[in-house]
Amino acid sequence: MGLWTLLEGCLLIANALAILNEDRFLAPRGWSFQEYSGVKRNSLKGQIIGLIYATQYLRVLLMILNSLCIVVKLVSG
């Protein structure tokens, strides 16, 4: 297991966080953006909610990184 595998794993986790739907998944569990403003931002829950929303704003960057990963996999075999 090398550095490339670790980077791919991080990219998969970022993709999983980016596709979470607020209305269908996060809000019924109390993890919506309105909860983030009420919860202390230094708490674990506040940090996780902030991470989820940060990955959702970086979707374009994730698409570029996914494309780059696919190209590298195709070239290297």
Side-chain angles (χ1 to χ4, degrees), residues 18-64:
I19 63 168
L20 291 176
N21 189 341
E22 182 178 359
D23 296 331
R24 295 178 65 196
F25 182 76
L26 297 174
R29 289 160 179 81
W31 290 70
S32 66
F33 194 66
Q34 288 79 20
E35 291 286 326
Y36 179 64
S37 61
V39 175
K40 293 182 180 177
R41 293 185 180 180
N42 292 333
S43 68
L44 180 64
K45 183 178 179 181
Q47 293 291 322
I48 293 173
I49 292 172
L51 178 66
I52 290 170
Y53 281 98
T55 57
Q56 289 180 353
Y57 284 118
L58 296 174
R59 286 185 181 174
V60 175
L61 179 63
L62 282 173
M63 286 188 269
I64 293 168

